Amino acid sequence: MTMNTFEVPQDVLVDVRNVKKYFPIKGGILKRTIGHLKAVDDISFHILKGETLGIVGESGSGKSTLGRVILRLLDPTAGSIYFNGTDISYLNRKEIRPHRRDMQIVFQDSFASLNSKMSVAELVEEPLLVQTKLSKSERREAAVEIIEKVGLRADDRLKYPHEFSGGQRQRISIARALITRPKFVICDEPVSALDVSIQAQVLNLMKDLQDDLGLTYLFIAHDLSVVKHISNRVAVMYLGRIVEIADKKSLYDNAYHPYTQALLTSIPVIDNNSDATPRRTKIKLTGDLPSPADPPSGCTFRTRCPLAHDRCSIERPELKEKDNGHVVACHLYT
Amino acid sequence: MKNGPVLEVNQLKTYFYLRDNKVAKAVDNISFSILPGETVAIVGESGSGKSITALSIMRLINKPGRIVDGEILLDKEEIHRFSPKQMMKIRGNDIAMIFQEPMTSLNPVFTIGNQIIEILRKHKKMSKGDASNRAIQLLKMVGIPRAEEVMKEYPHQLSGGMRQRIMIAMAISCDPKLLIADEPTTALDVTIQAQILDLMVEMKERFQMAVLLITHDIGIVSEYADHVLVMYGGQIVEQASAKELLQNTKHPYTKGLLESLPNIDDDVERLGTIKGTVPSASDFPTGCRFSSRCPNVMEKCTQSNPDLMEIEKDHFVRCYLYEGGIKNDNEYV
Ligand SMILES: Nc1ncnc2c1ncn2[C@@H]1O[C@H](COP(=O)(O)OP(=O)(O)O)[C@@H](O)[C@H]1O
Ligand SMILES: Nc1ncnc2c1ncn2[C@@H]1O[C@H](COP(=O)(O)OP(=O)(O)O)[C@@H](O)[C@H]1O
Ligand SMILES: [Mg+2]
Ligand SMILES: [Mg+2]
């Protein structure tokens, strides 16, 4: 087990220490556990109050699983999660309940996550019904307020999800997440399914709400430009592990990990320079993400890494601080 | 003889006839052409008519939709006049298409090998043995490792990126003149997207295909397209070379799209937005279809729809802001 070598600053809201989530792999006629899929494999980081930590990584790298474990929608296999100073890692259903209203989640596919038979009012008020003892009129008042705050009209309350566009449905999901006045919101690909002009509206809204309500975000996305726009710090995940974490400026201007470099140079960029300045040199990766059920030995990225050397297949690189607050797990720097 | 366009689309209109006498003008008077070895991109938000344009060219429009007008010429042949039977021969032979989700076009119960061999036997009349050898060759060409083994595998055993490579192998198996790719990398991660787009470029150059690339990602347009059509509400609102379009953007919609995008290279506190949402194809505003969302809207914009005007050489814009521009023979003046 790695030690938590990084100092944890004062105003930390979420502190994740050596968290693992392994899913059992069943096989044979007896359906016995024959192995483990290491969806999240020894992850540590913290999120400061009021900041946005972005998480990027290819699909299957464990981003959503990590988010669900932090919210205790899934139980961790190992490690601890501290929320506002309290260890919530192993609280039971009843013990976790008082914390639920402080931690919420917004998903990508709001339409699938919204019950189509419920009106907007019912959907938005539901968390209050479950998690608070507010009266009917108090719930209604809170719903009207939050619905207007996310840019819908008060009388949209009486409509049903299918009457709204994708962007508006995402606003409904946001209203539903914010109605309990949480401190912390996990945003799991909240704009990935939206057209760019609508994505921009929702991103601006999320920033405004953060300023307004003092929210702390964990923002998960596979789009590096979106994550850069919204985040203060960014963590890069590969096969269940964080390979690099830094301030966004430091990460995007000066990525150390070859995987981060490859991600950044793979994005097609808009070339609107009239002079013929050469584009940044692309680092091309070959092959696919290996299966987390059977990860490569040593550094799990080595099978796709253009700079892999002998040591990478033998020894797993640990996260080390390279520059101030810029942490990377790669043998090139050790 | 290879100098003319591979594909020429003239004043194509594809409408959907809905209930209550409503008509969705999904594609409304679109014209463009693609030369051999050229990539033309169609970019626009969802519902702007990109896929219906592609499906119209393939003649795959079903009720309640119908191509109501226009010409589609493939190597000067008027394929819009072809019978369904003639079109069957064209599809998969002269025109190949790949989609966002390869699983919808791959048959889950047949091996990869079986599916490619089947195509080669049907379209190329190859023997089983020849087809099998050719299939392995094609898989290697599109960068599939362990090609012999993959022949025996089923689609669900492969990753999304691998499946898209298989689709490309199938697409090029019959040496098409035109490849239509509808959001081919939208479901893929960026590192895999880069691999697939590079593969498409390689195949295009190798076989001198014309490529129609449909995407919502202007970054992809910038790096991979020669020419761009920006679609809004079933019409082309701006059209130019990729370079010209991005360096000298004219239409307020195109500008809005570009400002909405978070840019990896420079930081803005707030993103630009286009107000409102895309209007439904059966309920466009009168006048310019973008007028309900346009920051520069003028009175005349809500009265009549501007024509697509050539404001500089090979740069076309459908917008009254440029009416007094370089060309002055506008019929609405
Ligand atoms: N409930 C589950 N049971 C088994 N495997 C799972 C489960 N949820 C996720 N996984 C696996 O865990 C890995 C990480 O998945 P996920 O967290 O969804 O990644 P991401 O959100 O980065 O795409 C994947 O290989 C996925 O198949
Ligand atoms: N089967 C259908 N029935 C009715 N209208 C349709 C149908 N398919 C497409 N349309 C209309 O055509 C418009 C354009 O669709 P499409 O070409 O799929 O857009 P996109 O640009 O997202 O590919 C849609 O907004 C819709 O109004
Ligand atoms: Mg996910
Ligand atoms: Mg489409």
Side-chain angles (χ1 to χ4, degrees), chain A residues 23-24 37 39 57-66 74 188 220 292:
Chain A
F23 293 110
L37 186 150
E58 282 169 282
S59 50
S61 58
K63 306 180 296 295
S64 297
T65 304
L66 176 64
L74 283 174
D188 191 353
I220 298 170

Side-chain angles (χ1 to χ4, degrees), chain B residues 217-255:
Chain B
D217 185 335
I218 302 189
I220 291 180
V221 168
S222 174
E223 291 202 8
Y224 293 93
D226 301 304
H227 220 81
V228 193
L229 320 173
V230 181
M231 276 188 81
Y232 188 85
Q235 299 188 318
I236 295 172
V237 295
E238 185 159 10
Q239 173 178 348
S241 72
K243 213 174 151 79
E244 166 74 10
L245 187 97
L246 294 165
Q247 287 170 10
N248 191 18
T249 314
K250 289 287 190 252
H251 199 284
Y253 176 63
T254 319
K255 287 183 181 173

Side-chain angles (χ1 to χ4, degrees), chain A residues 137-305:
Chain A
S137 66
E138 285 169 322
R139 290 200 303 269
R140 171 188 292 198
E141 202 176 307
V144 170
E145 190 187 338
I146 199 73
I147 284 169
E148 287 182 338
K149 228 183 180 58
V150 300
L152 297 170
R153 292 196 317 261
D155 50 352
D156 285 336
R157 290 171 56 253
L158 307 173
K159 296 187 187 163
Y160 289 83
H162 70 264
E163 299 177 64
F164 294 90
S165 66
Q168 287 169 318
R169 286 201 292 264
Q170 208 53 313
R171 288 175 195 266
I172 299 170
S173 297
I174 294 171
R176 192 174 138 91
L178 296 186
I179 193 159
T180 62
R181 295 300 153 114
K183 297 186 173 69
F184 176 54
V185 182
I186 294 190
C187 314
D188 191 353
E189 309 261 7
V191 296
S192 304
L194 305 177
D195 277 314
V196 286
S197 75
I198 309 302
Q199 168 180 295
Q201 293 171 359
V202 175
L203 286 173
N204 284 344
L205 171 70
M206 295 184 76
K207 269 197 165 184
D208 292 344
L209 291 168
Q210 178 169 41
D211 293 346
D212 224 23
L213 306 172
L215 298 170
T216 302
Y217 286 148
L218 179 70
F219 194 100
I220 298 170
H222 63 273
D223 184 324
L224 284 100
S225 323
V226 167
V227 167
K228 184 183 183 200
H229 176 74
I230 196 109
S231 307
N232 302 102
R233 284 187 306 135
V234 177
V236 181
M237 275 184 78
Y238 190 80
L239 227 54
R241 297 173 62 88
I242 290 180
V243 297
E244 186 161 9
I245 182 166
D247 260 11
K248 86 165 156 198
K249 187 160 170 39
S250 188
L251 191 96
Y252 283 80
D253 290 353
N254 192 19
Y256 288 119
H257 201 285
Y259 179 59
T260 315
Q261 292 171 352
L263 279 182
L264 288 172
T265 58
S266 296
I267 316 172
V269 287
I270 294 170
D271 179 13
N272 49 9
N273 287 336
S274 32
D275 54 75
T277 43
R279 297 211 184 94
R280 55 183 137 195
T281 39
K282 286 193 181 283
I283 298 170
K284 302 255 156 137
L285 294 185
T286 51
D288 281 320
L289 194 70
S291 162
D294 184 20
S297 65
C299 172
T300 53
F301 181 58
R302 71 177 163 84
T303 51
R304 299 171 76 195
C305 182

